[in-house]
C-alpha cells in the first residue's frame, strides 16, 4: 500500500478558510463540517489533519506529521526544527511593537529594562536578544491589547493587520517591524507525496496571479506584441484563415492586464479576450 502524506491544516482562525480553499483548488478533498478532524483522501494519497495553527509546527517538528500549513510567525515562535518550503500568498500580517502614544517610544532600544506582553514569547525573546535589549517578556495566551492598561506590561508585541485594534485602546506601533508573516508550507523531512503537493500549490498560486489572454494581430507586429506580453515560456502563435494575421495565446500577470490590453490594441491587436485560469503547472 502506498504511503500517504500526512498534512496538517489550520482548523480555525484567519488561516483556516484560505488554506482549505487553496487545497480544494489544488484537487484535495475538503472536510464536510468544522467538527471533522481528519480527512482521508486516498485518491490523492493524503491525510489531512485539522489542528490549531499554533500546534502545527510542533507536530511537524516532532515527525508526527509530514508537512503543514501555518503562519511564519507561529513557525518561528515555536522554535520547531522544521523548514519553510514556500510562501502561500495569503494570511499576510506584520509583527510589531506598540506602546501608549504618550510614551513616545521610537525604537526597540527604548524597551531596555521594561516589560513587553505578547502571545509570541519565543519570537519576541529572540528579537530582543538579537537587538541587544534586556527586557522582560510577559507571555499571554490571548489578546494583549489591555495588558498595559491593567498594569501587566509597559509595551506589547503583536500581529498587526491594520493597527485599528491597537489604536482603539490608545496604542501606537513604533520601531521597525519585527517580522512580515504569511501562510507558509513547512516540512521536516522529504515525505512521499510532498513534491506533488508543492507542484499543485504552485499551480494554484500561478493560476491566481495570471490570466490567459487571446488576441489576433498582423504577423509583422508579433515581435512588438511579444515584447508587451512575453508569457511564461513565450506565446502560442497560430495562423488564421485571414491572410497575414495570426492568433496569439499567452499568460499575462493579472495585475496590470488591462494596461497590456490597451497597449496591444494600440499596435493593432484585435479580438482581445481575457479568461481566468483555474489551475496550471508551470
Amino acid at each position: 500500500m502506498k504511503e500517504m502524506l500526512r498534512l496538517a491544516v489550520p482548523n480555525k482562525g484567519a488561516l483556516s478558510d484560505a488554506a482549505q480553499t487553496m487545497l480544494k483548488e489544488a484537487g484535495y478533498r475538503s472536510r464536510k463540517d468544522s467538527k471533522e478532524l481528519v480527512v482521508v483522501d486516498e485518491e490523492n494519497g493524503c491525510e489531512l489533519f485539522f489542528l490549531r495553527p499554533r500546534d502545527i509546527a510542533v507536530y511537524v517538528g516532532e515527525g508526527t506529521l509530514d508537512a503543514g500549513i501555518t503562519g511564519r510567525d507561529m513557525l518561528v515562535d515555536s522554535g520547531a526544527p522544521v523548514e519553510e518550503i514556500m510562501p502561500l500568498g495569503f494570511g499576510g500580517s506584520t509583527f510589531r511593537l506598540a506602546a501608549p502614544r504618550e510614551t513616545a517610544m521610537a525604537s526597540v532600544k527604548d524597551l531596555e529594562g521594561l516589560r513587553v506582553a505578547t502571545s509570541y514569547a519565543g519570537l519576541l525573546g529572540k528579537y530582543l536578544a538579537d537587538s541587544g535589549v534586556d527586557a522582560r517578556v510577559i507571555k499571554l495566551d490571548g489578546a494583549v491589547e489591555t495588558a498595559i492598561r491593567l498594569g501587566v506590561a509597559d509595551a506589547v508585541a503583536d500581529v498587526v493587520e491594520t493597527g485599528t485594534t491597537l489604536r482603539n485602546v490608545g496604542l501606537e506601533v513604533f520601531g521597525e517591524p519585527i517580522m512580515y508573516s504569511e501562510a507558509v508550507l513547512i516540512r521536516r523531512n522529504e515525505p512521499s507525496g510532498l513534491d506533488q503537493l508543492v507542484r499543485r500549490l504552485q499551480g494554484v498560486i500561478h493560476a491566481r496571479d495570471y490570466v490567459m489572454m487571446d488576441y489576433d494581430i498582423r504577423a509583422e507586429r508579433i515581435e512588438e506584441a511579444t515584447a508587451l506580453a512575453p508569457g511564461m515560456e513565450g506565446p502560442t502563435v497560430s495562423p488564421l484563415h485571414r491572410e497575414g494575421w495570426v492568433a496569439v495565446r499567452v499568460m499575462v500577470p493579472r495585475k496590470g492586464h488591462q494596461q497590456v490590453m490597451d497597449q496591444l490594441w494600440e499596435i493593432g491587436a484585435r479580438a482581445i479576450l481575457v479568461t481566468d485560469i483555474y489551475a496550471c503547472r508551470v
Side-chain angles (χ1 to χ4, degrees), residues 85-202:
I85 305 174
M86 59 182 290
L88 299 177
F90 64 87
S93 63
T94 308
F95 190 61
R96 302 205 64 169
L97 296 166
R101 300 185 185 97
E102 60 271 17
T103 62
M105 291 189 186
S107 76
V108 64
K109 300 295 184 183
D110 294 330
L111 295 175
E112 182 70 28
L114 300 181
R115 302 164 301 166
V116 189
T118 186
S119 298
Y120 297 80
L123 174 55
L124 176 61
K126 182 178 184 303
Y127 177 72
L128 292 172
D130 291 345
S131 301
V133 174
D134 183 13
R136 181 184 171 195
V137 176
I138 307 296
K139 187 180 187 310
L140 299 176
D141 288 332
V144 300
E145 296 88 357
T146 58
I148 298 173
R149 180 179 297 177
L150 295 175
V152 174
D154 305 294
V156 300
D158 203 8
V159 173
V160 178
E161 293 182 3
T162 64
T164 301
T165 302
L166 293 175
R167 286 192 294 271
N168 286 343
V169 293
L171 303 182
E172 290 286 350
V173 297
F174 68 91
E176 295 296 320
I178 297 173
M179 170 180 285
Y180 293 103
S181 182
E182 65 178 304
V184 295
L185 180 66
I186 62 173
R187 70 173 179 196
R188 179 172 180 178
N189 300 309
E190 291 280 355
S192 173
L194 181 63
D195 288 345
Q196 173 182 278
L197 173 65
V198 170
R199 284 195 303 272
R200 289 189 179 191
L201 295 180
Q202 288 174 336

Side-chain angles (χ1 to χ4, degrees), residues 67-79:
I69 295 174
T70 188
R72 183 179 293 121
D73 50 358
M74 289 179 274
L75 165 62
V76 175
D77 187 60
S78 72

Side-chain angles (χ1 to χ4, degrees), residues 2-270:
K2 182 180 178 181
E3 186 176 351
M4 301 186 77
L5 176 72
R6 295 162 63 85
L7 177 69
V9 184
N11 67 344
K12 60 182 179 180
L15 301 181
S16 180
D17 289 345
Q20 292 180 65
T21 297
M22 186 172 225
L23 288 169
K24 182 178 180 180
E25 291 178 9
Y28 293 92
R29 281 188 56 191
S30 302
R31 63 177 178 175
K32 296 177 182 178
D33 61 62
S34 59
K35 295 180 181 179
E36 198 170 8
L37 300 180
V38 182
V39 171
V40 179
D41 187 349
E42 293 185 2
E43 182 178 352
N44 292 296
C46 184
E47 290 180 283
L48 291 83
F49 295 82
F50 294 86
L51 304 168
R52 292 178 68 246
R54 279 185 171 274
D55 296 336
I56 287 175
V58 176
Y59 279 104
V60 176
E62 290 295 320
T64 306
L65 300 178
D66 300 315
I69 295 174
T70 188
R72 183 179 293 121
D73 50 358
M74 289 179 274
L75 165 62
V76 175
D77 187 60
S78 72
V82 300
E83 175 189 356
E84 176 183 325
I85 305 174
M86 59 182 290
L88 299 177
F90 64 87
S93 63
T94 308
F95 190 61
R96 302 205 64 169
L97 296 166
R101 300 185 185 97
E102 60 271 17
T103 62
M105 291 189 186
S107 76
V108 64
K109 300 295 184 183
D110 294 330
L111 295 175
E112 182 70 28
L114 300 181
R115 302 164 301 166
V116 189
T118 186
S119 298
Y120 297 80
L123 174 55
L124 176 61
K126 182 178 184 303
Y127 177 72
L128 292 172
D130 291 345
S131 301
V133 174
D134 183 13
R136 181 184 171 195
V137 176
I138 307 296
K139 187 180 187 310
L140 299 176
D141 288 332
V144 300
E145 296 88 357
T146 58
I148 298 173
R149 180 179 297 177
L150 295 175
V152 174
D154 305 294
V156 300
D158 203 8
V159 173
V160 178
E161 293 182 3
T162 64
T164 301
T165 302
L166 293 175
R167 286 192 294 271
N168 286 343
V169 293
L171 303 182
E172 290 286 350
V173 297
F174 68 91
E176 295 296 320
I178 297 173
M179 170 180 285
Y180 293 103
S181 182
E182 65 178 304
V184 295
L185 180 66
I186 62 173
R187 70 173 179 196
R188 179 172 180 178
N189 300 309
E190 291 280 355
S192 173
L194 181 63
D195 288 345
Q196 173 182 278
L197 173 65
V198 170
R199 284 195 303 272
R200 289 189 179 191
L201 295 180
Q202 288 174 336
V204 171
I205 292 171
H206 282 294
R208 291 176 175 181
D209 289 345
Y210 284 81
V211 294
M212 188 65 72
M213 188 172 291
D214 295 89
Y215 60 90
D216 300 338
I217 196 168
R218 291 195 62 83
E220 64 265 23
R221 308 300 296 269
I222 188 62
E223 293 301 324
E224 294 175 76
T226 301
L228 295 172
M232 300 288 291
E233 304 291 343
T236 300
V237 181
S238 307
L240 288 174
H241 181 69
R242 184 179 179 183
E243 187 175 353
W245 284 73
V246 294
V248 181
R249 166 164 280 199
V250 63
M251 288 177 65
V252 175
R254 183 179 297 274
K255 184 178 181 180
H257 75 271
Q258 289 285 353
Q259 288 82 356
V260 174
M261 293 176 73
D262 292 336
Q263 293 166 341
L264 289 171
W265 179 271
E266 291 295 328
I267 64 171
R270 296 296 181 264

